[in-house]
Amino acid sequence: MGTDPGLRRLALGTLLAAYPGPVPPSWAVDLVGEGLAGHTLFGTNVHDPAQVAASTAALRAARADVLVAIDEEGGDVTRLAHATGSPYPGNAALGAVDDPALTERVYAAIGAELAALGITVDLAPTVDVNTADENPVIGTRSFGADPARVAVHSAAAVTGLQSTGVAACAKHFPGHGATIADSHHELPTVDVSPAVLRERDLPPFAAVISAGVRSIMTAHIRVPALTGDDPATFSRAVLVDLLRREYGFTGTLITDALEMKGAALAAGGVGPAAVRALAAGADLLCIGFKVDAGLVERVVAEIVDALGDGRLDRSRVEQAAGRAAALAAWTRAAGVPNPAPTDLGYAAARRAVRVEGDVTGLGVPLVVQVHAASTIAEGRVPWGLGPHLAGLEEVRVVAEETDAAALRGLAGSRPIVLVGRNLHRLPGCAELIDALAAAHPVTVVEMGWPGRWRPADARAFVITYGASHANGRAAAQALGLAS
């Protein structure tokens, strides 16, 4: 027997799928017409603005209220500018500037760009409080380590973004900032009491709920006191008791990608993860990045089977689909985007740069960029000072494979400007910097999360709080090296 058409449509109404390439394939468009809530766009779906607008128009032709989502955080996580780097600084830089009005303007500018392309949901801002310097996946995506500051800027970001008619999605509930593992690869544990969460991690979520955020994203993290051995995405104690009843959130609850190991491994696959997330109180399920028609149909079949065998109540799935539809209705009715000043992001990035030490008189230095792997959230996006330098020699090295004496020999009489991301976490990097600075003038540029680490003998330490195109230009300007 085939799947009941009504149940199939109901299940589709809870799913955010994805598709490969710059043009939506016929199956992706057909699923929208058949009731799929929407699609998430990734860098592989983005070539240029005209192409993105054509893609969203094709999806909207299948059903006018389709949701089109994207991870456009500014800073290190960008899909629209994945080929060049974002023209906006990310949250850490905005938190360092600490001007909530600026944060609101930057997010309004991002929202206006998305709205003009037909994108209706931005899976941003990240409102996690980054309290762990070793955090491998949040870092500069956070407004900072102080809950009060993060709360103020999170609310400002939501206000700016939603002023354009693009729905914000605050993430990752109940807080991913204290983790030292990446939920793309494993299930991180935050072993603290609910009282600690309320004091440290939850103030930004309270702030965005007060600001009217339309959606919130779940975290694939384990908080044993609330979730037991499961991720928060599968926990009614977190999604219903804490978020909805205690904090009063009435909007749409979106899962982080269910293909991530933090969810899929815990459930035994994407389909079972979808069922468990729905049962726990999630409304809109991000399937993930690697999606085809077959995967969507398998998830739908799992949900329909769960409705038949008692794992899911129909009223719960109807509630979830209704909240997804309400989100789509809001995006169709709200906001008129206003063009932003073209230099807004670059000016904001310049305000964020912090210089410890003396950067005068660099002359014609040798620029050394230290290799740093990208997270799955960031993807492979260009970063560094290279695009902004005026005819300077730049070399790229792997810290633990580089001999300091050889690098000093290459520099000769020139000072060295060493550029990296999350330098304190890179194997061999602190030792390389110490060996260079012991016998050579070295200026260090940190384009990741600076934490508490500082190079002992460097001439100067420059912090950009991010590695976007705007952050790179700002650093080059601060050093007097910009083209």
Side-chain angles (χ1 to χ4, degrees):
M1 293 179 62
T3 302
D4 178 275
L7 293 181
R8 179 175 182 273
R9 190 172 188 91
L10 177 61
L12 282 170
T14 68
L15 302 182
L16 268 180
Y19 57 84
V23 178
S26 58
W27 64 262
V29 177
D30 291 344
L31 282 172
V32 171
E34 294 162 10
L36 181 76
H39 286 288
T40 301
L41 302 184
F42 294 89
T44 54
N45 304 122
V46 175
H47 281 196
D48 58 64
Q51 166 267 318
V52 175
S55 295
T56 62
L59 296 174
R60 196 159 286 109
R63 200 182 74 247
D65 65 345
V66 62
L67 291 167
V68 183
I70 197 168
D71 288 278
E72 192 61 38
E73 300 178 13
D76 295 348
V77 177
T78 177
R79 305 295 182 241
L80 294 182
H82 68 93
T84 59
S86 177
Y88 300 101
N91 288 357
L94 294 171
V97 176
D98 199 18
D99 179 351
L102 175 64
T103 297
E104 183 175 334
R105 289 197 303 274
V106 166
Y107 270 86
I110 292 172
E113 186 173 359
L114 297 177
L117 297 177
I119 296 167
T120 57
V121 180
D122 191 5
L123 302 175
T126 294
V127 307
D128 303 303
V129 182
N130 199 80
T131 53
D133 285 349
E134 301 303 310
N135 194 317
V137 70
I138 303 301
T140 60
R141 300 167 67 194
S142 168
F143 287 111
D146 175 60
R149 179 176 296 196
V150 175
V152 168
H153 286 274
S154 297
V158 166
T159 299
L161 191 59
Q162 294 190 165
S163 71
T164 68
V166 173
C169 180
K171 56 191 186 186
H172 308 78
F173 192 83
H176 213 312
T179 61
I180 56 173
D182 185 343
S183 53
H184 291 88
H185 304 294
E186 58 186 291
L187 178 58
T189 296
V190 179
D191 195 2
V192 298
S193 68
V196 171
L197 287 180
R198 290 185 183 95
E199 180 180 350
R200 183 189 67 188
D201 299 287
L202 295 178
F205 290 99
V208 297
I209 291 168
S210 295
V213 70
R214 304 306 304 184
S215 61
I216 288 176
M217 179 174 284
T218 69
H220 302 327
I221 62 168
R222 175 176 172 264
V223 185
L226 293 173
T227 72
D229 292 332
D230 289 328
T233 299
F234 301 159
S235 170
R236 285 188 65 82
V238 170
L239 304 189
V240 177
D241 297 342
L242 185 61
L243 179 57
R244 293 209 182 275
R245 292 176 182 162
E246 183 174 337
Y247 280 81
F249 178 62
T250 59
T252 306
L253 191 48
I254 304 177
T255 70
D256 210 342
L258 294 178
E259 70 180 6
M260 293 165 60
K261 296 297 191 295
L265 284 181
V270 175
V275 170
R276 295 195 63 184
L278 283 170
D283 305 311
L284 189 54
L285 314 178
C286 287
I287 299 176
F289 167 62
K290 295 180 179 179
V291 179
D292 57 22
L295 177 58
V296 176
E297 296 298 351
R298 289 194 296 275
V299 174
V300 167
E302 189 80 28
I303 294 171
V304 172
D305 286 348
L307 287 166
D309 64 23
R311 285 177 290 158
L312 280 174
D313 292 331
R314 179 163 181 157
S315 61
R316 168 76 274 269
V317 184
E318 289 173 341
Q319 179 188 56
R323 287 183 179 141
L327 180 65
W330 182 87
T331 64
R332 292 185 68 197
V336 177
N338 297 309
T342 55
D343 192 48
L344 175 65
Y346 293 95
R350 287 194 293 273
R351 291 177 62 185
V353 175
R354 300 292 181 266
V355 177
E356 300 173 5
D358 182 11
V359 296
T360 61
L362 284 175
V364 183
L366 172 67
V367 178
V368 178
Q369 181 164 317
V370 181
H371 171 76
S374 299
T375 66
I376 292 177
E378 294 163 346
R380 294 183 178 180
V381 178
W383 64 277
L385 303 190
H388 315 284
L389 298 174
L392 298 178
E393 182 182 4
E394 181 186 37
V395 297
R396 303 197 174 198
V397 304
V398 176
E400 60 184 339
E401 300 174 2
T402 301
D403 179 71
L407 204 52
R408 288 197 303 267
L410 179 63
S413 61
R414 296 174 294 175
I416 291 174
V417 173
L418 185 141
V419 185
R421 294 197 300 184
N422 306 306
L423 292 165
H424 64 289
R425 297 209 324 257
L426 297 180
C429 194
E431 294 80 3
L432 173 63
I433 292 171
D434 288 345
L436 288 172
H440 205 92
V442 175
T443 294
V444 177
V445 180
E446 172 61 83
M447 301 191 75
W449 185 262
R452 290 174 289 275
W453 175 83
R454 294 293 185 271
D457 297 315
R459 187 170 181 261
F461 188 58
V462 179
I463 307 168
T464 64
Y465 295 97
S468 73
H469 192 271
N471 294 129
R473 182 182 296 178
Q477 290 172 335
L479 296 168
L481 304 178
S483 55

